[in-house]
Amino acid sequence: MGCSHDGRLPTLKKLTILLSLLGLAGVTAAMAWSGFGSVAHAVTRIGVLGFVLTLVAQLLVDTLLALAWNAAFPKMPYRHLLMARLVRDAAATCLPFSQLGGIVLGIRATCLTPEHSTGGKGRTVVEWPEAACANVVDITTEVLGQIVFVLLAVTLLVVGAGANPLVKPVVIGAFLLTIGVAGFIWTQQRGGAAVRKAVGFLGRHIAGQWQNSMMDGADTIQERMEEAWSKPRQIMASASLHLLGWISSAGILWLTYRLLGAQLNFPDSIAIEGVTCGIMSASFLVPAGLGVQEGAYMTLGHAFGIDPSVSLGLSLLRRGRELCIGVPVLLLWQSFEMRALRRRESATVAAAPDVPAPLQANEPANSVETTRVG
């Protein structure tokens, strides 16, 4: 399961555990600093109906993100991509994984195609190279939209909050992210060796139980990448829809702040959400951005005159929303996995050749032949 032969956890898993503990300590420290009573009051102020409203808004954004994915891969069923996207996000936010672990489970969910995702027209087989390509390209187009969103947010932050110490590092981070994405796109188009190395890394350190299948498909994934990037209109449509999804996530932040009683206009909401997303992208190894998200919301909210306890309450409500959506999604996905496993076992048993029953201990060897001839 990905452990080394001497029983020690790989370095990446150790780092993930360490960052998780530091993140939890950061969240606890932020709550203690803001006051547990104030934070609890902010969280309960939204009410059950308000929380359900934010859940519905998040699900609408998720459908938009699946539409963005489908724009880049129109041949894949939309409902199947929606489920795979939900699994990928749920794994990154609800499980003790970094975003890299969420990507691996997203690839697995893309390979698994439930019958209902094809509209009752039978199962569609999605092979590992195609699923990996679809996830990597979708993440890349999402980052392309994110870059525009972060730059827009920084501009609005300067206009709305004036000089802010977070502006300069976020701009530098967005610039470096742009360079990194450009190199990543080039790698997907022409860097076959680099893609194979990345697949090998994922197979050795993150997806040990799927290592063989991942390595077997590493030689064909480059062809899938080149085919996907040879359709610029689909790529641009996907990136544009992702940008709209990022702006919609700022709308959820605006709605939550309003339900918490904070007065914040929509451009300022874009500034807070966009800069927070930029900061969290730089800390992608931290599972679910523990501690990072809370600190960013509190700092940016304070720049717009919002009490830190309210911003911390907003962050906790976001985590609650992610759990309420993510946990049922993961349970549903596991039920699909179990059904698929049972189907494979049944198919294996049905395809097995007939084996004659073993001879009784006191039965002569030629009695079987005598019975068959006679």
Side-chain angles (χ1 to χ4, degrees):
M1 295 295 292
C3 293
S4 57
H5 294 291
D6 60 359
R8 293 176 299 176
L9 289 174
T11 302
L12 183 60
K13 291 185 178 180
K14 290 182 178 179
L15 179 61
T16 300
I17 294 173
L18 176 61
L19 292 175
S20 298
L21 295 176
L22 291 176
L24 289 173
V27 174
T28 304
M31 291 188 65
W33 179 76
S34 299
F36 289 96
S38 299
V39 176
H41 175 71
V43 172
T44 56
R45 185 174 181 177
I46 192 174
V48 176
L49 292 179
F51 185 69
V52 171
L53 183 60
T54 61
L55 282 176
V56 173
Q58 182 62 59
L59 289 173
L60 291 176
V61 172
D62 291 335
T63 60
L64 178 60
L65 296 177
L67 186 63
W69 195 354
N70 190 237
F73 295 89
K75 293 183 180 181
M76 290 188 175
Y78 169 78
R79 284 182 289 179
H80 176 52
L81 294 180
L82 175 60
M83 184 63 188
R85 171 71 199 218
L86 290 173
V87 169
R88 194 174 75 199
D89 289 346
T93 55
C94 300
L95 298 178
F97 298 152
S98 66
Q99 294 185 22
L100 294 177
I103 293 172
V104 172
L105 291 189
I107 294 173
R108 174 62 182 175
T110 309
C111 292
L112 182 65
T113 310
E115 293 90 339
H116 68 268
S117 68
T118 58
K121 299 179 181 179
R123 292 178 58 81
T124 299
V125 178
V126 180
E127 301 292 343
W128 137 246
E130 185 179 1
C133 169
N135 278 269
V136 171
V137 172
D138 180 57
I139 292 170
T140 307
T141 55
E142 184 174 10
V143 174
L144 289 174
Q146 183 187 27
I147 292 173
V148 178
F149 180 61
V150 170
L151 294 177
L152 174 63
V154 169
T155 303
L156 293 174
L157 179 63
V158 172
V159 173
N164 190 289
L166 292 177
V167 171
K168 185 176 180 180
V170 170
V171 171
I172 296 174
F175 176 72
L176 296 176
L177 183 62
T178 303
I179 296 176
V181 170
F184 191 43
I185 293 174
W186 180 89
T187 300
Q188 293 176 48
Q189 292 177 317
R190 299 178 179 85
V195 171
R196 284 191 290 271
K197 289 181 180 179
V199 171
F201 173 83
L202 292 175
R204 289 191 302 271
H205 297 285
I206 300 177
Q209 66 269 43
W210 304 320
Q211 181 176 355
N212 293 334
S213 61
M214 292 182 73
M215 297 306 298
D216 291 341
D219 293 332
T220 59
I221 186 174
Q222 184 61 30
E223 299 177 3
R224 303 286 188 179
M225 292 287 190
E226 293 175 358
E227 180 183 356
W229 286 102
S230 66
K231 302 171 182 177
R233 290 186 178 181
Q234 294 181 7
I235 296 297
M236 290 303 299
S238 178
S240 299
L241 288 172
H242 274 301
L243 174 59
L244 184 58
W246 284 112
I247 295 175
S248 299
S249 66
I252 299 178
L253 181 137
W254 172 85
L255 173 63
T256 308
Y257 264 133
R258 299 285 292 187
L259 292 172
L260 289 170
Q263 300 298 321
L264 191 72
N265 58 43
F266 189 66
D268 292 345
S269 299
I270 293 178
I272 295 176
E273 182 69 11
V275 175
T276 299
C277 289
I279 295 173
M280 292 182 65
S281 295
S283 57
F284 66 95
L285 286 178
V286 181
L290 283 173
V292 179
Q293 175 181 293
E294 285 73 19
Y297 277 140
M298 292 172 68
T299 302
L300 292 166
H302 180 70
F304 289 94
I306 298 175
D307 188 87
S309 63
V310 176
S311 295
L312 182 55
L314 176 136
S315 180
L316 296 177
L317 286 169
R318 173 176 173 172
R319 294 197 182 280
R321 186 171 67 241
E322 291 169 347
L323 288 173
C324 287
I325 295 175
V327 171
V329 165
L330 291 175
L331 292 176
L332 182 61
W333 172 59
Q334 282 299 299
S335 70
F336 290 153
E337 286 279 359
M338 294 302 296
R339 288 166 56 188
L341 179 61
R342 286 195 293 267
R343 280 194 297 268
R344 287 194 296 268
E345 291 178 348
S346 300
T348 301
V349 172
D354 293 334
V355 178
L359 297 177
Q360 298 295 330
N362 57 353
E363 185 178 2
N366 59 355
S367 64
V368 176
E369 293 296 329
T370 303
T371 304
R372 288 177 181 173
V373 174

